[in-house]
């Protein structure tokens, strides 16, 4: 027997199309649940929620639930409601994130907090979060509820951890990985894991899908944090340099600071503390990152976690679902090239 | 057989002592759960949460769960964890409320958002909210999860409804009742109802306890809203006149506006829109409320709902628990005298 070795190949042109095609029908049904359950007698709720939910999100997390269910040949419909619950948790987090960061651009559109104010964003986030639990309760699996309530608590912890690391130049790569593991990867992992629960598979397959999602989530966030230093608002739908101006300790900064000489270290201290935040300072920062290969190596780290995500699928037999999930990883790590 | 008719008597000096005595032992166990489960590896979380949780709250909602369980002679321990979950939902709501309102005083102490900033308050609120669901999942009752996730969604809807009524002079008493029914009474009702679930009673007793909690919650909020026009920060632990300055359409304002002459109506329009918000304006507003009996009749409305709360207990046989729960209602409606 010959082993099938899936190696990430950044020279290809990977796409999300296979995974989107795989789950397109299911995703329509998920979208119907989402639209139905974001309704309320209070008009501001669907108005504000709809701005973000209808506003160009890729539905990446629900797609992971759906693709994982395909991988397991799950033939039921429970995952539609649960995928909607996952998206509601994510949307609630985005609404609160934008308040926390004071962001004004998300997915290329003005943020909800900019249009309706911080109070409305906080409260509609709370509503969507509650609604996500109502969806889970309707499904009725205590195991799913445990996975997703646990992930929600971990996400909040990760967000607080990130908040307290802001403008702290001493933040380590280990702490950064803790933060993104919690704020991003926990929900990716849970989104995949719950598919194994509804498909009534054992702990081994649950753990494998959890590992796929978790490593993909880390890779995804690493690339996202790298992109903040290579792109502009037009291509990414968020303001380039946001992380820089907010003094966020992402891996590109951690690496550039660790590798910099005394003069560069002084610049980074000033930049992270908020004393250097002009467009010229950002351009200088990007130059230093090229010099120290900080962005390149952030992307190399992303490929490492991407490879781990792919390998986590090793126990599943091949087919369209597996291939699409592998290509989704390749797409995630290739985005910045 | 002679009927026992419990009439609210505002001339007495009702106290929370009987209900506090009734549940003191249980409440210690609930507090232990609360302290244990607000912990996190991220130090800011217990620090911020502890400021509010340890900071003089009366634990009114968990007390309702515990007292209701006593009323039903429930001998188990499940309600301790669930009462802690109720308090976490409430605490999360308070943290977010203070961000929404921009409050700087709560229970006589500086608010968390003032000390640690809005971002931390939003995120720690999210953490406590997630943690409350983890506690419910550990308990394992889907029925309790349904009641409390439903209440949480209703609370968020009520908060958004209140937000969109701010500075709107045309807000009706009906809309006001919708708002406080959702933002306050829903959790009071749920806190009582879940005791009947853990005690494995039928729908009738669930509904009776729900009605007790709901009417008590409405009475409680009516009195709270009246107090904002009769007290000062020293006695109430929040800034008197906060509602006035924020242009909140509470019942005292709705009644004073409805009953005012043309000149008074003009004043209220200006005040609610934010054009009249000085201390002198507040004093004038309080004078108008005395003239129109707006505060007195807000308190009369509170007594009406208090009486309904007491009557909802009519089906339960008397005893220390029932008497304490009745006196708690009397205390709630007598606070402002």
């Amino acid at each position: 027997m010959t082993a099938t070795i899936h190696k990430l190949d950044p020279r290809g042109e990977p796409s999300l199309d296979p995974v989107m095609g795989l789950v397109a029908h299911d995703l329509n049904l998920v979208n119907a649940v989402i639209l139905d359950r974001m309704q309320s007698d209070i008009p501001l709720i669907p108005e504000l929620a709809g701005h973000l939910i209808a506003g160009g999100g890729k539905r990446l997390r629900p797609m992971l639930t759906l693709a994982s269910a395909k991988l397991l040949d799950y033939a039921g419909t429970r995952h539609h409601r649960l995928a909607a619950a996952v998206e509601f948790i994510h949307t609630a987090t985005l609404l609160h994130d934008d308040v926390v960061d004071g962001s004004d651009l998300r997915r290329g559109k003005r943020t909800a907090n900019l249009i309706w104010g911080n109070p409305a964003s906080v409260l509609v986030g709370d509503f969507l979060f509650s609604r996500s639990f109502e969806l889970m309760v309707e499904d009725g699996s205590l195991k799913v509820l445990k996975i997703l309530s646990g992930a929600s608590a971990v996400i909040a912890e990760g967000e607080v951890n990130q908040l307290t690391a802001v403008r702290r130049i001493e933040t380590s790569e280990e702490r950064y990985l803790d933060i993104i593991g919690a704020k991003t990867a926990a929900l990716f992992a849970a989104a995949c894991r719950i598919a194994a629960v509804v498909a009534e598979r054992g702990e081994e397959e649950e753990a494998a899908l959890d590992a796929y999602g978790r490593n993909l989530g880390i890779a995804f966030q690493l690339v996202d944090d790298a992109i903040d230093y290579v792109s502009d608002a037009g291509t990414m739908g968020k303001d380039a340099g946001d992380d820089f101006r907010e003094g966020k300790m992402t891996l590109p900064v951690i690496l550039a600071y660790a590798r910099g000489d005394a003069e560069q270290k002084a610049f980074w201290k000033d930049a992270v503390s908020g004393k250097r935040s002009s467009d010229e300072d950002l351009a200088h920062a990007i130059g230093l990152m090229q010099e120290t290969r900080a962005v390149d190596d952030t992307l190399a780290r992303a490929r490492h976690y991407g490879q781990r995500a792919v390998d986590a699928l090793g126990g599943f037999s091949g087919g369209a679902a597996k291939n699409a999930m592998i290509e989704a990883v390749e797409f995630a790590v290739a985005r910045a090239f």
Side-chain angles (χ1 to χ4, degrees), chain A residues 52 57 79-80 83 101 106 123 127 164 166-167 211 252 255-256 277:
Chain A
L52 188 56
H79 58 327
H80 297 145
D101 293 342
R106 158 88 60 191
L123 297 175
F127 172 80
T164 52
V166 159
R167 301 211 179 282
L255 293 181
S277 62

Side-chain angles (χ1 to χ4, degrees), chain A residues 6 29 33 35 65 67 78 120 155 207 222 228 243 250 287 303 324:
Chain A
H6 292 280
L29 297 169
V33 177
L35 285 175
T65 305
R78 285 174 55 197
I155 291 168
L222 282 161
D228 207 68
D243 291 348
T250 59
R303 286 192 295 276

Side-chain angles (χ1 to χ4, degrees), chain A residues 30-39 45-46 49-50 52-54 59 61-62 80-96 124-136 138 148 152 155 187:
Chain A
V30 173
N31 281 331
V33 177
I34 288 173
L35 285 175
D36 180 47
R37 300 310 292 276
M38 71 183 210
Q39 296 309 314
I45 290 177
L52 188 56
I53 287 174
R59 303 272 194 277
R61 292 154 193 83
H80 297 145
R81 190 143 54 183
L82 294 176
V86 166
E87 185 69 0
F88 277 167
I89 292 175
H90 175 57
T91 308
T93 307
L94 292 187
L95 285 172
H96 288 184
V124 174
D126 289 350
F127 172 80
L128 291 175
F129 197 55
S130 302
R131 201 32 67 90
S132 83
F133 277 93
E134 288 193 297
L135 285 163
M136 292 176 227
E138 284 170 29
L148 285 172
S152 297
I155 291 168
L187 191 56

Side-chain angles (χ1 to χ4, degrees), chain A residues 186-313:
Chain A
L187 191 56
F188 276 65
C192 295
R193 182 185 275 266
I194 59 175
V197 177
V198 297
E200 295 176 2
R201 300 300 182 102
E203 172 56 31
E204 199 179 334
E205 276 160 292
E206 268 188 46
L209 281 169
D210 185 296
Y212 168 80
R214 191 171 306 273
N215 284 295
L216 172 58
I218 294 172
F220 177 87
Q221 188 62 56
L222 282 161
V223 173
D224 223 48
D225 290 342
I227 284 174
D228 207 68
Y229 289 95
V230 292
S231 77
D232 56 54
T235 54
M236 285 317 301
K238 67 173 194 174
D239 288 341
D242 268 357
D243 291 348
F244 178 74
R245 279 181 291 270
E246 290 163 16
K248 262 196 196 152
M249 288 304 296
T250 59
L251 191 59
V253 175
I254 293 169
L255 293 181
Y257 175 70
R259 295 170 178 184
D261 59 24
E263 190 186 331
Q264 293 178 6
K265 278 189 162 64
F267 168 81
W268 284 114
K269 278 185 190 169
D270 284 349
V272 165
S273 70
K275 288 182 207 143
R276 305 281 301 261
S277 62
S278 69
D279 287 351
E280 292 70 35
D281 294 324
L282 175 61
H284 182 62
I286 291 173
L288 293 184
M289 284 181 177
Q290 284 165 349
E291 203 178 316
T292 56
R293 295 188 53 80
V295 168
D296 288 346
D297 285 355
T298 296
L299 295 172
R301 302 279 209 281
R303 286 192 295 276
H304 159 85
Y305 288 102
Q307 185 64 56
R308 285 172 62 173
V310 170
D311 284 325
L313 297 181

